[in-house]
Amino acid sequence: MYKAKAYSAASATSPLASTSINRREPTDLDVQIEILFCGICHSDLHQARNEWSGVMPTVYPCVPGHEIVGRVTKVGPGVTKFKPGDLAAVGCLVDSDGTCHECQAGLEQFCPNITLTYNFPDKHLGGVTYGGYSDSIVVTERFVLHVPSNLDLAGVAPLLCAGITTYSPMRHWGVTKGKKVGIVGLGGLGHMGVKFAHALGAHTVVFTTSPGKKDDALRLGADEVVISRNADEMAKHAGSFDFILDAVSADHDINAYLHLLGRDGDLCLVGAPEKPLAVAAFGLLFGRKSLSGSPIGGLPETQEMLDFCGQNNITADVEVIPIQKVNEAYERLLKADVKYRFSIDMASLKSE
Ligand SMILES: NC(=O)c1ccc[n+]([C@@H]2O[C@H](COP(=O)([O-])OP(=O)(O)OC[C@H]3O[C@@H](n4cnc5c(N)ncnc54)[C@H](OP(=O)(O)O)[C@@H]3O)[C@@H](O)[C@H]2O)c1
Ligand SMILES: [Zn+2]
Ligand SMILES: [Zn+2]
């Protein structure tokens, strides 16, 4: 065991603060990574503030962070795919049983014996897992990903959650050229959704509550931008979408989006607001529409997404911040004021 520097929340109401945590020495199949950048996902905020208490209550202290990129510092003797000095990335998962039907299919996100990167029982040290707001992490090789060498690392970190969470449902629901696709909420997930929908060739429409984001949405790859609070603008798109990805973090009216789907269209939730959303049955019945959801993605698809980003030069648009600004960043997330993901430069942890 060794000590690592980290930032943690001591309770649902306390700001994150500097701390030191235990990490295991790498065992046979482990990779130890010096963390260079970690993205700030809205899920970090939900979890740090115990907003998902009904589903995944937070155990304190909580060290969030599941958009991790860094350099390998040490590997166990059984590790074959990484060596010290390699770039490496870790997302929302750090372990699973490896044997169940889902794991065999490369869909580890659905394994009943999954270990999430933070706030999940730690099989090695007891207590819970600690995430990427830290200077290092130790992860079993199967959950460590290769990073394309041509991409900016600060912008790569958010691919590990915001990237795969938007890429996976688009692949599953067949987003491609000829399809009309909506992205609701231009935040961390949403802006990656726009980049992927555009790169996959779909006609891409952004729905935002922030008129000030219109030019950015077009620059990111949107063909059209709709201010979702403007009923006339919304009405023009009634019944026309094949697929809409909803990446909103707070309570909002999803029936307005069901209304915009065409026959057999699908509204897929990736956003995870604290409170349940109301659904009007008739909004689904007429048009045989579907309402679905999708969590992150499995390891093979996450690597596929990273390789796709390497080939198409895709990274997140980031505001790089020192870890000392994490609490300020959380307040800005709540105001939908991020362009479009915070990425923490972990070198800033050295001064703590
Ligand atoms: N499914 C998964 O596996 C998964 C993975 C990661 C994150 N998530 C969840 O996805 C959600 C989004 O995460 P994120 O990191 O992208 O968050 P984010 O960067 O804070 O973006 C959320 C966006 O939602 C819109 N929004 C916020 N409040 C709103 C409101 N009251 N009404 C309508 N729109 C509103 C804003 O976009 P505009 O300004 O454009 O309106 C905002 O930028 C969170 O709930 C997060 O926990 C799920
Ligand atoms: Zn996330
Ligand atoms: Zn499994």
Side-chain angles (χ1 to χ4, degrees):
M1 221 158 61
Y2 69 98
K3 291 280 181 198
K5 290 183 176 185
Y7 255 55
S8 72
S11 77
T13 51
S14 41
L16 278 84
S18 181
T19 187
S20 115
I21 55 171
N22 292 327
R23 298 285 195 197
R24 66 181 184 268
E25 285 297 337
T27 60
D28 189 37
L29 293 175
D30 278 340
V31 177
Q32 183 191 51
I33 299 164
E34 178 196 7
I35 301 177
L36 298 176
F37 293 95
C38 183
I40 298 183
C41 180
H42 206 113
S43 302
D44 299 350
L45 187 158
H46 289 307
Q47 194 82 70
R49 298 187 178 179
N50 204 14
E51 290 175 356
W52 293 336
S53 56
V55 191
M56 288 193 268
T58 306
V59 178
Y60 294 96
C62 171
V63 179
H66 56 206
E67 297 185 332
I68 297 166
V69 66
R71 216 168 263 289
V72 176
T73 42
K74 213 192 246 186
V75 296
V79 169
T80 57
K81 298 195 202 94
F82 291 91
K83 57 180 189 321
D86 287 351
L87 290 176
V90 176
C92 304
L93 305 171
V94 290
D95 210 353
S96 70
D97 57 30
T99 54
C100 75
H101 180 64
E102 308 293 3
C103 287
Q104 294 295 313
L107 297 169
E108 294 85 355
Q109 72 270 39
F110 303 121
C111 174
N113 299 305
I114 213 170
T115 304
L116 295 183
T117 305
Y118 59 82
N119 197 56
F120 244 66
D122 184 332
K123 286 190 220 159
H124 298 264
L125 298 179
V128 292
T129 49
Y130 293 135
Y133 296 4
S134 174
D135 56 4
S136 83
I137 192 164
V138 178
V139 178
T140 189
E141 179 181 26
R142 197 158 58 87
F143 288 81
V144 183
L145 295 137
H146 290 283
V147 178
S149 58
N150 58 320
L151 300 177
D152 167 61
L153 292 184
V156 163
L159 301 178
L160 278 299
C161 177
I164 184 61
T165 301
T166 50
Y167 181 86
S168 180
M170 289 200 205
R171 300 284 288 158
H172 182 77
W173 274 277
V175 168
T176 179
K177 201 169 162 50
K179 299 279 167 122
K180 185 172 174 185
V181 171
I183 308 288
V184 188
L186 198 66
L189 265 58
H191 97 290
M192 288 311 308
V194 176
K195 291 189 184 208
F196 287 135
H198 176 73
L200 292 166
H203 183 86
T204 306
V205 182
V206 166
F207 294 93
T208 180
T209 59
S210 310
K213 293 181 181 174
K214 195 165 183 174
D215 289 345
D216 281 345
L218 295 169
R219 176 181 56 78
L220 292 165
D223 297 290
E224 296 179 64
V225 183
V226 173
I227 307 304
S228 53
R229 291 189 171 132
N230 181 325
D232 292 341
E233 279 191 48
M234 292 288 278
K236 282 186 201 146
H237 292 272
S240 68
F241 280 88
D242 297 292
F243 181 72
I244 299 178
L245 191 74
D246 183 329
V248 173
S249 53
D251 193 22
H252 62 294
D253 176 21
I254 58 170
N255 300 298
Y257 295 100
L258 291 173
H259 183 64
L260 303 189
L261 291 173
R263 173 173 51 77
D264 294 322
D266 183 78
L267 172 65
C268 179
L269 303 181
V270 286
E274 184 177 1
K275 298 201 180 82
L277 301 164
V279 182
F282 283 105
L284 288 170
L285 303 184
F286 294 123
R288 197 167 53 192
K289 298 167 186 176
S290 307
L291 174 63
S292 63
S294 182
I296 50 172
L299 272 295
E301 197 172 47
T302 305
Q303 190 63 61
E304 177 191 308
M305 178 274 309
L306 286 169
D307 296 344
F308 180 85
C309 288
Q311 284 147 19
N312 293 281
N313 240 317
I314 293 174
T315 51
D317 284 29
V318 289
E319 290 189 51
V320 177
I321 59 161
I323 190 127
Q324 291 77 9
K325 292 214 160 157
V326 66
N327 295 302
E328 202 180 297
Y330 276 22
E331 291 315 309
R332 285 186 53 199
L333 270 190
L334 287 175
K335 292 187 221 144
D337 171 27
V338 50
K339 302 246 159 62
Y340 278 86
R341 194 60 140 187
F342 292 109
S343 185
I344 306 169
D345 181 352
M346 234 23 105
S348 59
L349 201 48
K350 290 191 205 301
S351 64
E352 292 284 346

